Amino acid sequence: MPSKLHLANKPTPLWHNDALDRLVGCEVWVKRDDMTGGAEAGNKIRKLEYLLADAVDQGADTVITCGAAQSNHARATSLVARRLGLDSILLLRTSDAEAEPNTGNLRLSRMSGATIRFISPEQYADRDRLMHAESEQLVERGRKPYVIVEGGSSGLGALGYVDAVAELLEQQQLDLCPMSFDTIVCACGSGGTAAGLSLGVGRYGTARRVDAVAVCDDTAAFEAITTRICDEARALRPDLPLTSNLIIHDAYRGPAYGEMSQAQREFLDQVAASSGLVLDPVYSGKALFGLAQLDPKPRLALFVHTGGLPGTLA
Ligand SMILES: *Cc1c(COP(=O)(O)O)cnc(C)c1O
């Protein structure tokens, strides 16, 4: 079993609200993974419990990762790395570095002392090679770098979401929520959360399937990505089964990554206004919007709120 650090506040609460059920159109329980921590909160910290354990085991002194300019993953990584005494270097995608406001995730990453390198969307397409080049330069200077892929979505990172399903099973056994969900719903940005949930559901039950709502790439791309992540995870944990419970939806992406349609914006506001639940516009808002649009609608859903508040405020 790969080693793991304890970094997140777990188990995360389960939350239910009648007004939210009415708005979404089915019974929906919310797993509050937006409450896994303070400024470092969100879904990425579950992956980082494995990834940074590996970094520490390897004697790393610096982590290198990448993302959008308002990346939740880069922010969570740099804050948690600092907690562990590690430096971080963040390769952040932007088409105009000068115009990036020092707000939200970017501000928090800077506060952690991370070294920020803005790269163009063209360079970002080559991010893995750029991160390795960065890593080699550090090695030449006698440092010990550790590279974390986009979103922490490797097989190792996804094990954090396998464990989240085991955590849900314990909560079900304590009667904190219904015993079996028709579906677990999440946003899908780099695929690790969806892949881990799918493996977890295959291993522990708790739900019949996973509906992942894509926020950037299409279904075919995410099927390839999640298949690869699941293969990597099974190599690390041979007790995990082959699964076919994951459905990826690409009809709710909105106009572009980070941009919502008018209907999606209105839905996001209605959710907060009717239930007090604040979703983010890049991921969780589109995912719950997707659940509200599903046809046929499940009867009983578990929605994983993956966080993203700093981006909402940026
Ligand atoms: C990264 C992220 C996601 C998507 O998770 P992946 O594992 O990258 O697919 C969803 N919600 C928020 C708030 C995120 O930061």
Side-chain angles (χ1 to χ4, degrees):
M1 202 70 118
S3 63
K4 185 180 181 184
L5 292 167
H6 178 78
L7 300 172
N9 282 330
K10 298 174 301 206
T12 52
L14 290 160
W15 190 91
H16 175 259
N17 179 275
D18 290 330
L20 189 68
D21 286 359
R22 285 194 292 277
L23 198 60
V24 173
C26 67
E27 184 174 339
V28 49
W29 287 71
V30 181
K31 184 136 173 77
R32 297 294 302 268
D33 276 14
D34 58 320
M35 295 171 68
T36 49
E40 72 279 37
N43 62 338
K44 300 305 178 315
I45 192 167
R46 287 194 190 266
K47 305 176 187 178
L48 291 169
E49 290 194 327
Y50 280 103
L51 296 164
L52 291 178
D54 191 33
V56 169
D57 287 351
Q58 292 188 24
D61 56 25
T62 308
V63 294
I64 301 169
T65 196
C66 63
Q70 277 297 331
S71 167
N72 294 305
H73 163 70
R75 174 259 306 164
T77 301
S78 63
L79 288 170
V80 178
R82 178 54 76 215
R83 190 196 318 180
L84 299 171
L86 310 178
D87 292 334
S88 43
I89 299 179
L90 309 176
L91 273 52
L92 302 183
R93 182 186 71 222
T94 180
S95 42
D96 186 356
E98 306 280 288
E100 285 301 339
N102 190 32
T103 57
N105 285 302
L106 183 56
R107 172 147 169 71
L108 293 171
S109 296
R110 284 207 171 104
M111 285 173 75
S112 79
T115 300
I116 311 262
R117 299 208 203 296
F118 285 118
I119 60 174
S120 69
E122 296 72 41
Q123 290 173 309
Y124 193 82
D126 211 11
R127 56 193 173 271
D128 289 332
R129 204 185 51 75
L130 287 178
M131 287 196 289
H132 279 101
E134 199 67 62
S135 171
E136 275 165 21
Q137 285 179 20
L138 287 179
V139 169
E140 276 170 25
R141 287 193 268 130
R143 304 291 300 264
K144 296 247 177 179
Y146 183 87
V147 174
I148 297 179
V149 297
E150 181 187 56
S153 286
S154 60
L156 184 61
L159 294 183
Y161 268 90
V162 175
D163 294 353
V165 181
E167 178 182 306
L168 174 64
L169 177 62
E170 284 179 23
Q171 291 176 308
Q172 288 176 323
Q173 288 166 343
L174 290 170
D175 245 352
L176 297 171
C177 67
M179 203 48 214
S180 181
F181 291 96
D182 294 327
T183 177
I184 298 181
V185 179
C186 69
C188 188
S190 62
T193 302
L197 289 171
S198 164
L199 290 165
V201 163
R203 174 71 178 74
Y204 300 108
T206 73
R208 309 235 291 253
R209 65 170 204 262
V210 175
D211 285 289
V213 178
V215 302
C216 40
D217 293 328
D218 63 15
T219 296
F222 274 123
E223 276 171 356
I225 289 167
T226 52
T227 299
R228 177 190 44 80
I229 297 169
C230 288
D231 288 345
E232 286 176 16
R234 271 191 297 269
L236 297 166
R237 261 191 67 173
D239 65 308
L240 296 176
L242 273 168
T243 59
S244 55
N245 56 29
L246 175 61
I247 302 171
I248 295 162
H249 304 269
D250 60 9
Y252 314 110
R253 287 181 285 175
Y257 174 76
E259 268 179 59
M260 291 191 119
S261 67
Q262 169 107 10
Q264 287 176 325
R265 266 197 305 274
E266 282 171 13
F267 178 78
L268 185 95
D269 288 347
Q270 274 176 354
V271 169
S274 63
S275 72
L277 186 72
V278 174
L279 302 171
D280 83 290
V282 183
Y283 297 98
S284 57
K286 288 183 178 175
L288 193 67
F289 178 84
L291 172 59
Q293 304 284 312
L294 278 191
D295 183 21
K297 187 81 53 78
R299 196 183 47 81
L300 180 58
L302 180 87
F303 175 70
V304 183
H305 185 161
T306 42
L309 185 61
T312 311
L313 302 174

